Amino acid sequence: MGDVTVQDADNPGTDPRVDRAPADAGTGPDTTGPDDETRDPETGLPDVYRPGETTGPLTEEHEFPLWPDGRSRAATLTPPRPQAPTGPVRDPRRPGVGLPLLVVFALFAAFFAWVGAEPFWLAVGHADRGTVAVTRCTGGGVAKRCVGDFTAADGRYRVRTVPVSGGDARPGARLAARMVSSSARQAYVGDSLGLLLRWAVPLALVLLLGLLIALVTGAGRLRGRHRAAAVTLSLAGPLVVAAGLLAAAW
């Protein structure tokens, strides 16, 4: 069969399947201007950017929001990350050097803590008062050593040939004295100032030895919290030993 041409009743000879422009297409307002400027079809004025409308794709750098979003607020409030220290890193101590010195200093700390334990208890008032009869003395000056027999004031016990420290002891003298207990290693006949020096100086030496332990073991060469923990342990070790000796001297 041949092709059948359907003509429009109003326009003979035209094909209704062909789209045509409206008859009044050329009568409306011109939406272009000089230099192909885009104009608003309703007002005929040049089209400008209005908030909320976009005439083309916008990238992130062209957006200007009235209120900052969460990302920009977080970037503003987040403090700068601290930089890692750039100083020279020192090598740790060799165990062959640090461990022997650690043992030596720990023994010295124990000795000084033992020396100051009984004077500390006497200074704080933990003592039994009584009388000591000096039996003999040797040496002179700082090297003078005396011994005697201590008798408690209430008569509960008597200790023979106990070392006498402090004061001006001489053979045959009977002096007021104090002892921590019947198992104490000395009878003290001096004043309170002498007791202060006898326990404060050993305690200061214990703390000094703790600092020396931190130095010889390389605790100060660590970084951050590791250094603080190592130095704290170096100081706490001798103090724990001193506390144990104080408990034993009670």
Side-chain angles (χ1 to χ4, degrees):
M1 297 177 60
D3 295 337
V4 179
T5 301
V6 180
Q7 297 182 354
D8 191 356
D10 297 332
N11 298 297
T14 61
D15 190 347
R17 293 173 295 176
V18 179
D19 295 336
R20 299 176 182 82
D24 56 351
T27 60
D30 188 6
T31 60
T32 60
D35 299 332
D36 295 334
E37 184 182 40
T38 304
R39 295 177 176 272
D40 190 347
E42 297 181 358
T43 61
L45 298 175
D47 192 7
V48 296
Y49 174 77
R50 287 174 289 179
E53 297 184 1
T54 57
T55 57
L58 295 178
T59 60
E60 184 178 354
E61 62 181 1
H62 296 109
E63 297 179 0
F64 302 95
L66 180 61
W67 302 105
D69 56 5
R71 291 176 300 176
S72 60
R73 186 182 299 110
T76 303
L77 299 179
T78 302
R81 182 176 300 177
Q83 298 181 355
T86 57
V89 179
R90 294 180 292 178
D91 296 333
R93 294 284 187 185
R94 292 180 296 175
V97 176
L99 290 180
L101 291 177
L102 168 63
V103 174
V104 171
F105 289 152
L107 291 176
F108 273 110
F111 170 75
F112 288 121
W114 175 75
V115 169
E118 286 191 8
F120 173 80
W121 289 126
L122 293 174
V124 299
H126 177 66
D128 293 332
R129 296 183 179 273
T131 304
V132 62
V134 182
T135 58
R136 68 177 185 272
C137 295
T138 59
V142 180
K144 184 179 180 179
R145 299 290 181 269
C146 297
V147 296
D149 299 332
F150 177 82
T151 303
D154 54 3
R156 289 186 298 112
Y157 60 88
R158 182 180 181 183
V159 182
R160 294 181 180 274
T161 318
V162 62
V164 180
S165 62
D168 186 16
R170 60 187 183 277
R174 296 181 64 87
L175 305 172
R178 289 173 282 179
M179 289 186 67
V180 176
S181 64
S182 60
S183 60
R185 56 183 175 82
Q186 63 180 340
Y188 184 75
V189 298
D191 56 5
S192 300
L193 179 60
L195 282 177
L196 176 63
L197 296 177
R198 286 174 180 266
W199 72 263
V201 173
L203 178 60
L205 292 175
V206 169
L207 294 175
L208 177 60
L209 288 167
L211 293 175
L212 291 177
I213 290 174
L215 177 63
V216 300
T217 56
R221 298 191 175 194
L222 301 177
R223 289 187 176 274
R225 287 180 287 183
H226 298 287
R227 176 172 57 187
V231 173
T232 301
L233 289 176
S234 301
L235 294 175
L239 291 178
V240 171
V241 173
L245 292 173
L246 282 174
W250 173 268

